[in-house]
Amino acid sequence: QPDDRGLIGAVPVLRVTRRGPEAVHFVETALEPGAAVLVTLDWERRFDHMQQHSGQHLITAMADQMFGFKTTSWELGRQQSVIELDTPAVTTQQVEALERSVNEKIRERVPVSVRELAADDPEIETVRSRGLPGDHTGPIRVVDIEGVDSNMCCGTHVSNLSDLQVIKLLCAEKGKKNKTNLVFLAGNRVLKSVEQSHRTEKALTSLLKNGPGEHVEAVKRLQSSVKLLQKNNLNLLRDMAVLIARDFQSSPARSPLFVLHRKEGDSEFMNIIANEIGTEETLLFLTVGDEKEAGLFLLAGSVEAVENLGPRVAELLGGKGAGKRGRYQGKATRMSRRGEVQALLQEFISHQ
């Protein structure tokens, strides 16, 4: 279970950990030794952890009683919690039956109590446990869900299952080593999840112009349309690259330097142009992407020129690249410096 947070006086508590029997609090600033302080607990965080932890005890006990599924570990996450069950699979019907049963126990208002046993108390042998930490001292703490479960535990819990409000088992997923992960929400997390789902549903209804039952089909249609548009756009870019290269080749007075930037292009677009022009007599500097921020670049020409200029071009553009056989290409973060690169290339050509 995650640690508690809050204030000691006016100083925020950043973390709490255990060293043997001591609870060590890490605070934002130093506290005056011996000073009287008011300790304020972050109750919303604590109560959330209580709901999830007591919910886990209940689910674990009922999964064992109903199906013989043993819990091997669990995780109290920030949004969802996960119980690892020692079984290769859990059916949908079993998940539904388990959810019904745990919520019946909540409606029955079953009490939850905490007691402490001496380390040599024989009753400890009858209590469910994963073992004690090696540095444990003092009495053994046991959490009882009346008539349901008795479990060795150091966590914070509700005093009655009715405080859990409701438990929702979200899904059963394949886990590690032939085990199953059962994902769940308890208490206020269920309410927050419903609220978030409702907001999302309203937003999608507004965007898709149809009811919630038609959202999935509407999104599938949009995905198909986007794929078709992307395919058509790619074909147009390829045709455009060929035409750009042929237009340059047909020029009666071709420049030794060819510079082009295309916002919507990609690496294939640049390579088609370089392949079509295909001459070492021309130095090509091609870029695609954002005009001032991130993008891709390609430098093509004679092997000697590219080997000399490639790393310098990448450095000017704030990027990284690699090259071979007269091509140097990579990613850039400062496309606004394309003018400086062009000046560098013009200077190089003028000295040849």
Side-chain angles (χ1 to χ4, degrees):
Q1 178 178 322
D3 53 347
D4 282 325
R5 300 294 164 84
L7 300 171
I8 298 180
V11 180
V13 176
L14 305 176
R15 184 165 65 95
V16 184
T17 189
R18 184 183 67 82
R19 290 178 184 167
E22 299 287 330
V24 183
H25 294 64
F26 293 81
V27 292
E28 199 169 83
T29 57
L31 296 163
E32 183 183 348
V37 293
L38 176 66
V39 178
T40 308
L41 178 70
D42 182 344
W43 174 248
E44 183 178 354
R45 176 184 171 91
R46 160 73 78 86
F47 187 59
D48 172 59
H49 293 165
M50 290 163 60
Q51 287 185 318
Q52 309 316 308
H53 204 157
S54 296
Q56 177 265 317
H57 278 219
L58 177 59
I59 296 167
T60 287
M62 296 305 294
D64 191 7
Q65 290 177 25
M66 294 173 67
F67 308 112
F69 297 156
K70 304 294 183 182
T71 293
T72 48
S73 69
W74 86 289
E75 178 188 10
L76 200 167
R78 290 185 178 182
Q79 278 81 41
Q80 302 174 345
S81 297
V82 181
I83 297 173
E84 184 184 67
L85 298 175
D86 192 12
T87 178
V90 179
T91 67
T92 301
Q93 292 75 19
Q94 288 172 327
V95 171
E96 292 173 351
L98 180 57
E99 182 176 284
R100 283 195 300 271
S101 296
V102 296
N103 283 294
E104 283 172 7
K105 294 297 180 183
I106 292 172
R107 290 191 293 273
E108 289 171 6
R109 297 178 52 83
V110 176
V112 180
S113 59
V114 177
R115 55 198 172 101
E116 292 183 347
L117 301 177
D120 58 353
D121 192 317
E123 188 180 348
I124 291 176
E125 298 300 322
T126 66
V127 174
R128 186 164 56 85
S129 170
R130 293 178 60 204
L132 288 168
D135 59 353
H136 175 78
T137 58
I140 308 299
R141 189 169 182 270
V142 177
V143 176
D144 293 312
I145 302 176
E146 189 176 290
V148 177
D149 185 46
S150 186
N151 186 11
M152 194 182 298
C153 183
C154 63
T156 55
H157 290 267
V158 299
S159 59
N160 191 288
L161 289 187
S162 63
D163 290 332
L164 299 184
Q165 300 164 277
V166 66
I167 286 175
K168 179 60 185 175
L169 304 183
L170 296 176
C171 62
E173 303 172 333
K174 185 176 181 181
K176 298 178 180 179
K177 298 180 180 178
N178 216 28
K179 296 178 182 179
T180 298
N181 293 329
L182 188 63
V183 185
F184 76 94
L185 302 173
N188 289 334
R189 291 195 183 190
V190 178
L191 300 178
K192 290 179 180 178
S193 178
V194 171
E195 182 183 356
Q196 178 61 49
S197 296
H198 182 62
R199 285 201 302 266
T200 302
E201 187 177 278
K202 284 183 67 177
L204 286 172
T205 297
S206 176
L207 290 169
L208 299 173
K209 310 298 182 187
N210 58 17
E214 300 170 307
H215 285 172
V216 173
E217 288 303 316
V219 170
K220 286 180 179 179
R221 288 195 298 270
L222 284 173
Q223 287 178 326
S224 297
S225 297
V226 169
K227 286 180 181 179
L228 181 59
L229 287 171
Q230 288 175 333
K231 182 179 180 181
N232 291 339
N233 185 56
L234 184 59
N235 290 333
L236 288 172
L237 275 175
R238 288 170 177 166
D239 293 342
M240 188 182 297
V242 172
L243 290 172
I244 289 171
R246 290 179 181 175
D247 181 62
F248 173 77
Q249 287 176 316
S250 64
S251 175
R254 287 191 296 180
S255 168
L257 176 64
F258 180 78
V259 176
L260 177 73
H261 175 78
R262 196 87 191 180
K263 185 177 181 179
E264 66 274 15
D266 58 13
S267 57
E268 185 180 7
F269 173 78
M270 295 188 294
N271 277 294
I272 289 173
I273 294 175
N275 290 337
E276 288 292 325
I277 293 177
T279 173
E280 292 191 355
E281 297 174 2
T282 304
L283 187 60
L284 288 84
F285 174 52
L286 309 174
T287 54
V288 296
D290 192 288
E291 294 181 355
K292 294 185 178 180
E293 301 296 333
L296 305 174
F297 71 91
L298 169 65
L299 183 69
S302 68
V303 174
E304 179 186 357
V306 171
E307 287 181 352
N308 185 310
L309 296 166
R312 295 163 67 186
V313 168
E315 183 180 359
L316 278 174
L317 295 176
K320 294 181 180 180
K324 60 181 180 180
R325 295 193 295 274
R327 300 248 177 125
Y328 192 98
Q329 54 191 333
K331 296 181 179 179
T333 59
R334 295 197 298 266
M335 297 293 278
S336 58
R337 301 184 70 180
R338 288 179 293 113
E340 296 177 48
V341 173
Q342 187 171 345
L344 171 69
L345 302 181
Q346 289 280 18
E347 183 183 359
F348 176 83
I349 290 172
S350 67
H351 285 89
Q352 293 300 304

